[in-house]
Amino acid sequence: MDSTQAGGVIAYISSSSSASSPDSCHSDSSNSSYQSCSPPHTASPSRRQGQPGETRPVAPQSRPPRHSGGKARSPSAAKSGITKMNGLVLLCKVCGDVASGFHYGVHACEGCKGFFRRSIQQNIQYKKCLKNESCSIMRINRNRCQQCRFKKCLLVGMSRDAVRFGRIPKREKQRMLLEMQNAMNNMMENSHGNQPLSVYNQTPPLSADSPSSRPSSTSPQSNRSESSPDPEPPISMDTSSDSSGAMDIGEEEVIGTVTSAHQETFMYNQDQVNVPSEAPDNQGHFTKVWNPRVDTSSTSNQNSLSSCIAQVPQGSSQPYSSVCTIQPACQNVPTATYSAPTCARANRMHLVCPMNTSPQVDPQKSGHSIWEEFSMSFTPAVREVVEFAKRIPGFRDLSEHDQVSLLKAGTFEVLVVRFTSLFDVKERAVTFLSGRKYSVEALRSMGAGDLLNSMFDFTEKLQALNLGEEEMSLFTAVVLVSADRSGLENVNSVEALQESLIRALRSLITKNHPNEIAIFTKLLLKLPDLRSLNNMHSEQLLAFKVHP
Amino acid sequence: MDSTQAGGVIAYISSSSSASSPDSCHSDSSNSSYQSCSPPHTASPSRRQGQPGETRPVAPQSRPPRHSGGKARSPSAAKSGITKMNGLVLLCKVCGDVASGFHYGVHACEGCKGFFRRSIQQNIQYKKCLKNESCSIMRINRNRCQQCRFKKCLLVGMSRDAVRFGRIPKREKQRMLLEMQNAMNNMMENSHGNQPLSVYNQTPPLSADSPSSRPSSTSPQSNRSESSPDPEPPISMDTSSDSSGAMDIGEEEVIGTVTSAHQETFMYNQDQVNVPSEAPDNQGHFTKVWNPRVDTSSTSNQNSLSSCIAQVPQGSSQPYSSVCTIQPACQNVPTATYSAPTCARANRMHLVCPMNTSPQVDPQKSGHSIWEEFSMSFTPAVREVVEFAKRIPGFRDLSEHDQVSLLKAGTFEVLVVRFTSLFDVKERAVTFLSGRKYSVEALRSMGAGDLLNSMFDFTEKLQALNLGEEEMSLFTAVVLVSADRSGLENVNSVEALQESLIRALRSLITKNHPNEIAIFTKLLLKLPDLRSLNNMHSEQLLAFKVHP
DNA sequence: GAATAAGGTCACCAGGTCAC
DNA sequence: GTGACCTGGTGACCTTATTC
Ligand SMILES: [Zn+2]
Ligand SMILES: [Zn+2]
Ligand SMILES: [Zn+2]
Ligand SMILES: [Zn+2]
């Protein structure tokens, strides 16, 4: 977007004038009439500060397609003054960068101002445009074609005789304000409608200007970058540093315990992706059928959870709703898909869930039975999660209520993580319970929707981190204790538990990937993604229940 | 990454020889230490003065041409200008050689700059890599595989769109310096061991020496010298040292830019909680209705938004729905509360939203008008968020679609963070638009539900971290780019952007709270909480719309 | 005197050159 | 082809002039 060319108007800035409350803005700042807080140490002597927007890039990695790189910052307006009116930041009418004032008759950035000055001072004749003399002029490409830039300057009205000296006449200021208001109102009006983007390119409200505006052109694009693309500088600071280095004794234990808990309660993991050619319906009830291995370790778990958790799978439909969907039903074949309940390819709503037996619905079955079957299919996995939770050091010390709450809220997220191995990123396919593998496209055509896509994306990114077993285990534990906390009785203890697990995870990663501590950060950033998946899932499930 | 070359910064150069200290090279005025030194005797006859190495007329002190003599630098950079800051030599991000400047968006050496230029000019198709397309690119072998070299260029972010002309903004420079120093210190401290670039430098083990020493810098940190124009005589010696590591230059800029963007686009902050006793209607359109105080500042904002974002908010109704709720309507009084729509204390559903004018509903109004009024009330704040987003370095480089998507998904979260100051944790009360403060209990009795509680909890935790303005700003930016990604066109660019912001945030926190890096982790863990709040909010909003 | 813009300065770069 | 060097800009800041 970059709206760039918008006419001159633009950007909202804040200006608070009243300073009533001292507190926050500590910065010094101040000049009243201008904006609010200013940057902290501004030392600059005589300038007003305010930094304009600059944009800078920094982009980490790039993707080749469009050059990734980065974009660049916006230059102008640096700190000096940016012109604004009541909080509005004006943009350069030529290139869309932040304007530094009213130059040669139009609001323009320092760059365009200088460019225009030079152009008229020395009677420069720029060399001909290499294209059609209609290059778009935006901040990032304004230096690519002088002829077109100059043309644009003239087009928007820059002229030596359009200069205005001295302070802005009050009257004019008022008029401007008014215009802006109108523009804004318009904006809002249309905004009622919906189409997001369309509006986007349309014009600038602002009056007159924007002559040239073509649609704006070209494309937005590009990405930024500047500096740091790399995955992380060798040393660098970072999170890990805080720990002093050495790993805490307790941490080792936590790591070990969590890891074995994970391994012993997770049977659907990678190695089993050997498609079992057949494996017809497997579950009868659930347990018995689904997996032999449950026994030993899994089965026996009942302890504290048993009481609590036992209920999870069983009781209120709630548990299901919060947890359910994802799940491969049988031990070797995970499944995965997801579709919007609304799809109804098959003439009937159907949850194309990755953990389902199959993405298709048997038209014969009644809605109720489908739902039931579906619910049961993931029960085993849910139980595994519960078992896993119980073995997380400290988890059982939480109140039963909180244990249940966390499980209700977090099981789905844990399952998503656990089933990472079930998604074949390379082939972009997912294996279902039936043992069949379906390509994402196929699933989409069957009605799978956003959730599936999102899960795929998530899985892909997670797999890309190439975590080891221990890391996966710890991460899984973190995911669980980081589940939604609303309704918890004792948030603090959960937080404490979370902290210890996080610490262990960090140490582990620091140890295993000394040069890529960013992995830790990336993992933490997966948490919000999981939360989103959880929500999408809940919504679909709800819809599914309503319209089976 | 391979080579690791630290991200750009780094290597201290030794110039022992006396000659000039790097500083000396500096030019006058700014003392910033970043400059480029140029070759000694410049042979070129006619140049404009400003050339590097030369003495400039005006400058207070002329800098003697430093000349090479003694420095031993590695290869390239010989005489030409090497960019350095206080003795730190920047390295090419592609090959690790000494960088000659910031080219195509990244610090690069002359070789890589030229190589990249040729690559993009003629649309060169290099022949396929003979190995795995993963050749490491270092100074000594950079010419061995063109395909991989070009790939590396793109990877580190070189792009025509990332070009930056003109001088480096002072403020950024300063920041950069500071960070470098810090980074260096850190590096020294912890790492003994690794030294990436060791190669280049000789090294000094560093320590203590003050590298840059001299006027400014002696110690790591601090001091910016803003004004002093180089008090120092040209000579001196300097620095040598090595090191590496370090923060990327871009980070400083990112921090500065985001911080000012935040400050300048946030008017509802703290200080304004002064209740405006009156403030009659000022605006004529919606504005008028919703809140008197909107006037001036708020009203006028149309600009940028209008153009750019105008579009953002506008499009689908979505924006509102996804964003809406939280908001103080007027510029000085924030409001905040939230209730479950389901409550219906007043006999009618009502969204007790913190950003609403009041927790109560006027029984006279129609559901529709209430909804409308409500929607409008937060318009200004939403607009501010949009404006803020636009100024996040790199945000505008995303596709329009993705910009809109992120804003739709993340505005609510950003607002929750922004309005942290509106919640009075001590008294457990929230101020509404009307200027009245309501205790949580009162709100609950009016129907506020879980969302309010959760928001309160969130706010409390966030406030407890005691973040400074810069940190809050960066965090806010991170929140936005970490919004739900489903539906994005180009997840990778968003991710890259997120990474750069995260990196900046981490550096900032590391700098400000060297002993509490856990703060960084805690902040990241706030993201899933925000996601949950967002979902609760959406649900309520949906319910509200369905049953106004 | 404060605000505000034209112009000047000069730190910095994209590109072009041309010995290797 | 490569990359050290130049040339021709570019634009962040600053100084000076003008107007309210
Ligand atoms: Zn411009
Ligand atoms: Zn052109
Ligand atoms: Zn290089
Ligand atoms: Zn190669």
Side-chain angles (χ1 to χ4, degrees):
Chain A
M1 93 153 65
D2 189 61
S3 42
T4 282
Q5 6 238 95
V9 177
I10 329 299
Y12 203 4
I13 225 184
S14 76
S15 51
S16 46
S17 32
S18 57
S20 47
S21 74
D23 60 70
S24 34
C25 201
H26 5 305
S27 38
D28 40 288
S29 98
S30 286
N31 9 351
S32 32
S33 47
Y34 263 149
Q35 70 278 49
S36 46
C37 308
S38 58
H41 31 316
T42 302
S44 65
S46 58
R47 262 137 133 340
R48 11 207 203 327
Q49 65 254 79
Q51 191 143 290
E54 123 111 64
T55 15
R56 207 204 192 70
V58 180
Q61 326 226 309
S62 39
R63 20 341 168 352
R66 26 268 303 354
H67 4 291
S68 51
K71 120 216 210 87
R73 53 193 255 73
S74 102
S76 3
K79 47 208 46 276
S80 53
I82 353 184
T83 310
K84 47 175 101 141
M85 294 185 70
N86 282 326
L88 287 170
V89 174
L90 297 167
L91 301 187
C92 173
K93 243 171 159 177
V94 179
C95 73
D97 192 357
V98 177
S100 68
F102 193 71
H103 308 290
Y104 300 99
V106 303
H107 289 287
C109 65
E110 281 293 307
C112 293
K113 165 190 145 190
F115 173 78
F116 187 75
R117 173 164 36 81
R118 262 174 271 135
S119 299
I120 56 177
Q121 280 180 332
Q122 316 149 45
N123 208 355
I124 300 183
Q125 284 304 309
Y126 293 117
K127 46 182 132 7
K128 213 157 174 310
C129 168
L130 301 171
K131 306 211 267 200
N132 337 290
E133 310 205 355
S134 59
C135 303
S136 74
I137 304 295
M138 299 190 295
R139 188 183 69 256
I140 53 171
N141 63 8
R142 66 187 176 203
N143 288 310
R144 280 186 223 171
C145 179
Q146 296 175 307
Q147 189 188 33
C148 291
R149 187 180 189 182
F150 186 56
K151 197 166 140 197
K152 178 85 177 277
C153 286
L154 296 174
L155 196 63
V156 298
M158 288 182 90
S159 153
R160 199 187 241 132
D161 4 85
V163 291
R164 176 200 65 204
F165 281 101
R167 77 166 46 180
I168 302 177
K170 224 180 251 165
R171 228 162 281 165
E172 194 168 330
K173 212 170 197 171
Q174 190 123 38
R175 190 169 50 73
M176 239 167 173
L177 224 79
L178 225 112
E179 262 177 34
M180 288 179 173
Q181 274 180 9
N182 283 342
M184 181 151 260
N185 287 343
N186 285 353
M187 171 186 109
M188 303 232 117
E189 273 169 35
N190 339 333
S191 68
H192 280 329
N194 345 323
Q195 13 9 11
L197 320 166
S198 45
V199 193
Y200 251 85
N201 324 301
Q202 82 192 10
T203 70
L206 232 359
S207 57
D209 50 355
S210 76
S212 49
S213 40
R214 281 158 293 219
S216 75
S217 55
T218 353
S219 44
Q221 83 184 131
S222 95
N223 345 284
R224 69 284 172 305
S225 91
E226 168 91 299
S227 35
S228 38
D230 23 65
E232 274 286 297
I235 4 163
S236 102
M237 37 229 84
D238 80 50
T239 51
S240 46
S241 42
D242 59 333
S243 49
S244 42
M247 191 172 284
D248 230 275
I249 301 260
E251 287 174 12
E252 300 279 11
E253 238 181 276
V254 172
I255 295 173
T257 308
V258 174
T259 302
S260 55
H262 178 77
Q263 295 173 325
E264 292 163 21
T265 61
F266 185 27
M267 28 202 44
Y268 297 100
N269 49 31
Q270 67 288 10
D271 44 71
Q272 30 223 14
V273 187
N274 41 47
V275 184
S277 22
E278 24 58 38
D281 57 331
N282 354 358
Q283 32 234 127
H285 254 234
F286 39 116
T287 343
K288 107 212 247 163
V289 189
W290 66 284
N291 176 10
R293 260 95 99 303
V294 177
D295 52 338
T296 36
S297 46
S298 322
T299 328
S300 45
N301 350 298
Q302 346 231 347
N303 299 314
S304 78
L305 273 204
S306 66
S307 50
C308 317
I309 301 293
Q311 313 164 8
V312 168
Q314 79 179 271
S316 55
S317 53
Q318 280 289 18
Y320 281 116
S321 69
S322 49
V323 151
C324 83
T325 323
I326 199 164
Q327 210 56 255
C330 97
Q331 113 185 60
N332 0 214
V333 190
T335 74
T337 339
Y338 259 99
S339 77
T342 49
C343 67
R345 231 316 149 297
N347 179 359
R348 180 203 275 171
M349 288 305 194
H350 170 213
L351 245 194
V352 184
C353 167
M355 299 324 168
N356 242 333
T357 310
S358 150
Q360 288 193 284
V361 177
D362 176 347
Q364 304 268 283
K365 298 185 180 172
S366 69
H368 180 67
S369 77
I370 289 175
W371 169 249
E372 205 165 49
E373 185 178 318
F374 171 70
S375 295
M376 310 211 110
S377 69
F378 52 75
T379 304
V382 169
R383 203 176 295 137
E384 288 186 340
V385 174
V386 172
E387 181 53 22
F388 169 68
K390 286 168 46 187
R391 297 175 56 175
I392 293 173
F395 189 84
R396 301 219 289 189
D397 298 328
L398 299 175
S399 70
E400 287 193 4
H401 175 272
D402 287 354
Q403 289 182 48
V404 176
S405 295
L406 285 178
L407 281 164
K408 277 191 190 176
T411 301
F412 173 81
E413 297 178 22
V414 169
L415 289 173
V416 171
V417 175
R418 286 190 155 202
F419 291 115
T420 286
S421 54
L422 313 188
F423 287 72
D424 185 334
V425 175
K426 265 187 301 244
E427 296 185 29
R428 289 196 69 73
V430 180
T431 307
F432 271 66
L433 216 195
S434 63
R436 286 206 49 181
K437 220 175 189 178
Y438 295 83
S439 71
V440 174
E441 287 63 38
L443 293 170
R444 192 160 301 138
S445 72
M446 285 188 271
D450 291 345
L451 183 51
L452 175 63
N453 290 331
S454 299
M455 287 185 65
F456 224 96
D457 291 343
F458 175 86
T459 301
E460 190 166 359
K461 300 282 182 192
L462 188 58
Q463 288 182 5
L465 295 180
N466 253 309
L467 299 183
E469 277 279 297
E470 290 184 323
E471 293 155 344
M472 261 320 233
S473 306
L474 254 299
F475 178 59
T476 305
V478 168
V479 166
L480 182 63
V481 301
S482 301
D484 190 299
R485 289 174 185 170
S486 46
L488 288 184
E489 289 173 346
N490 191 338
V491 177
N492 292 329
S493 17
V494 173
E495 203 160 81
L497 176 57
Q498 181 190 38
E499 248 185 79
S500 70
L501 292 171
I502 291 261
R503 195 171 298 128
L505 177 60
R506 188 170 52 204
S507 300
L508 186 63
I509 292 178
T510 305
K511 188 183 69 181
N512 297 346
H513 311 268
N515 301 312
E516 301 175 277
I517 316 190
I519 288 183
F520 173 66
T521 300
K522 286 182 180 163
L523 275 177
L524 293 187
L525 290 173
K526 289 278 162 292
L527 297 176
D529 293 344
L530 281 169
R531 192 62 44 88
S532 287
L533 287 173
N534 197 345
N535 297 312
M536 271 193 241
H537 177 258
S538 301
E539 276 169 34
Q540 296 201 359
L541 202 64
L542 183 66
F544 182 68
K545 280 160 101 174
V546 177
H547 308 285
Chain B
M1 81 157 42
D2 25 336
S3 43
T4 135
Q5 6 247 82
V9 179
I10 334 288
Y12 234 156
I13 222 181
S14 60
S15 35
S16 39
S17 45
S18 66
S20 34
S21 60
D23 307 13
S24 42
C25 206
H26 284 345
S27 44
D28 49 311
S29 46
S30 48
N31 41 357
S32 37
S33 19
Y34 186 71
Q35 76 269 24
S36 40
C37 305
S38 66
H41 21 354
T42 313
S44 63
S46 58
R47 263 147 129 331
R48 351 179 270 309
Q49 57 223 105
Q51 272 292 319
E54 314 217 300
T55 32
R56 289 167 207 68
V58 189
Q61 319 222 315
S62 42
R63 0 347 160 355
R66 77 180 330 9
H67 85 330
S68 46
K71 48 182 316 23
R73 53 174 261 69
S74 62
S76 14
K79 52 215 25 281
S80 63
I82 354 185
T83 309
K84 51 172 90 141
M85 294 183 72
N86 278 329
L88 285 170
V89 176
L90 295 167
L91 302 187
C92 173
K93 244 172 158 174
V94 179
C95 72
D97 191 356
V98 177
S100 68
F102 192 71
H103 307 290
Y104 299 98
V106 305
H107 289 286
C109 65
E110 280 295 308
C112 293
K113 166 191 144 191
F115 173 77
F116 186 74
R117 173 165 35 81
R118 278 185 305 268
S119 299
I120 57 177
Q121 279 180 332
Q122 313 146 47
N123 211 358
I124 300 186
Q125 285 303 311
Y126 292 117
K127 48 184 135 354
K128 210 155 177 310
C129 168
L130 301 172
K131 305 211 267 202
N132 338 290
E133 308 202 357
S134 58
C135 304
S136 75
I137 305 296
M138 299 189 296
R139 187 172 56 77
I140 47 169
N141 63 3
R142 66 188 175 201
N143 288 317
R144 247 171 270 172
C145 177
Q146 295 177 308
Q147 188 188 32
C148 290
R149 188 182 189 180
F150 186 56
K151 196 164 141 198
K152 181 82 178 282
C153 287
L154 295 173
L155 192 65
V156 299
M158 290 182 87
S159 154
R160 207 178 214 155
D161 295 335
V163 175
R164 180 195 66 195
F165 277 103
R167 70 174 58 181
I168 301 175
K170 226 188 226 170
R171 193 170 274 243
E172 303 312 308
K173 242 194 221 171
Q174 260 172 264
R175 242 172 217 285
M176 242 180 221
L177 218 92
L178 225 127
E179 302 263 327
M180 279 175 125
Q181 288 180 343
N182 280 346
M184 180 160 260
N185 291 344
N186 285 353
M187 176 183 107
M188 305 205 175
E189 280 170 29
N190 351 331
S191 69
H192 310 247
N194 7 312
Q195 13 7 324
L197 323 163
S198 37
V199 196
Y200 300 127
N201 2 264
Q202 34 201 10
T203 211
L206 344 144
S207 53
D209 61 330
S210 40
S212 41
S213 39
R214 270 141 56 9
S216 42
S217 32
T218 330
S219 52
Q221 64 181 349
S222 71
N223 25 271
R224 39 49 188 347
S225 26
E226 215 10 279
S227 34
S228 49
D230 217 37
E232 276 301 305
I235 15 155
S236 81
M237 37 200 350
D238 81 55
T239 102
S240 42
S241 56
D242 87 9
S243 76
S244 52
M247 160 167 285
D248 240 276
I249 301 257
E251 285 174 14
E252 300 280 1
E253 257 185 76
V254 172
I255 295 173
T257 306
V258 173
T259 301
S260 55
H262 176 77
Q263 295 173 326
E264 292 165 18
T265 60
F266 186 25
M267 34 196 37
Y268 298 101
N269 50 29
Q270 67 293 4
D271 45 70
Q272 31 226 11
V273 187
N274 45 45
V275 183
S277 16
E278 27 54 35
D281 55 331
N282 352 332
Q283 29 241 108
H285 259 206
F286 53 1
T287 355
K288 111 210 271 142
V289 186
W290 63 281
N291 174 12
R293 263 87 103 292
V294 178
D295 55 342
T296 37
S297 37
S298 325
T299 334
S300 40
N301 343 310
Q302 358 212 59
N303 296 302
S304 75
L305 273 199
S306 63
S307 42
C308 316
I309 301 263
Q311 327 171 359
V312 169
Q314 84 176 272
S316 51
S317 49
Q318 281 289 18
Y320 283 115
S321 69
S322 48
V323 149
C324 85
T325 324
I326 199 165
Q327 215 47 266
C330 97
Q331 116 185 62
N332 358 220
V333 191
T335 74
T337 342
Y338 259 101
S339 77
T342 50
C343 68
R345 235 317 153 294
N347 175 0
R348 182 200 275 169
M349 287 307 195
H350 171 211
L351 246 195
V352 184
C353 164
M355 299 325 171
N356 243 332
T357 311
S358 150
Q360 287 188 289
V361 177
D362 177 347
Q364 304 265 285
K365 300 184 179 171
S366 70
H368 179 65
S369 77
I370 291 175
W371 169 249
E372 205 165 50
E373 186 177 321
F374 170 71
S375 295
M376 307 210 117
S377 71
F378 51 76
T379 305
V382 170
R383 206 175 296 133
E384 288 187 340
V385 174
V386 172
E387 180 54 22
F388 169 69
K390 285 171 44 189
R391 296 176 58 178
I392 293 174
F395 187 84
R396 299 216 291 188
D397 298 325
L398 299 176
S399 69
E400 288 185 11
H401 175 272
D402 288 354
Q403 290 183 47
V404 177
S405 295
L406 285 177
L407 281 165
K408 278 190 192 177
T411 300
F412 174 81
E413 298 178 21
V414 168
L415 288 173
V416 170
V417 174
R418 286 190 154 200
F419 289 115
T420 286
S421 55
L422 312 186
F423 285 72
D424 186 334
V425 173
K426 266 187 303 243
E427 297 184 28
R428 288 196 68 73
V430 180
T431 307
F432 270 65
L433 213 196
S434 63
R436 286 205 49 180
K437 218 176 190 176
Y438 296 82
S439 70
V440 173
E441 287 63 39
L443 292 172
R444 191 158 303 138
S445 72
M446 285 187 275
D450 292 346
L451 182 52
L452 176 65
N453 290 331
S454 298
M455 285 184 67
F456 227 97
D457 292 343
F458 175 84
T459 300
E460 192 166 357
K461 300 282 184 192
L462 188 57
Q463 287 182 5
L465 295 179
N466 252 309
L467 300 182
E469 278 277 299
E470 290 184 324
E471 293 156 343
M472 261 316 235
S473 306
L474 255 297
F475 177 59
T476 305
V478 167
V479 166
L480 181 63
V481 301
S482 301
D484 190 301
R485 290 176 183 168
S486 46
L488 288 184
E489 289 174 346
N490 191 334
V491 176
N492 292 329
S493 15
V494 173
E495 201 159 82
L497 176 58
Q498 180 191 41
E499 247 185 79
S500 71
L501 291 170
I502 292 262
R503 193 171 295 131
L505 177 61
R506 189 172 52 201
S507 299
L508 186 62
I509 291 179
T510 305
K511 187 182 73 179
N512 297 346
H513 312 270
N515 302 313
E516 302 174 275
I517 316 192
I519 287 183
F520 174 67
T521 300
K522 286 183 180 164
L523 275 178
L524 293 187
L525 290 173
K526 289 278 160 290
L527 297 176
D529 293 346
L530 280 170
R531 192 62 43 89
S532 288
L533 286 174
N534 197 347
N535 296 313
M536 274 193 238
H537 177 259
S538 301
E539 277 169 33
Q540 296 200 1
L541 203 63
L542 182 65
F544 181 67
K545 280 161 103 174
V546 177
H547 308 288

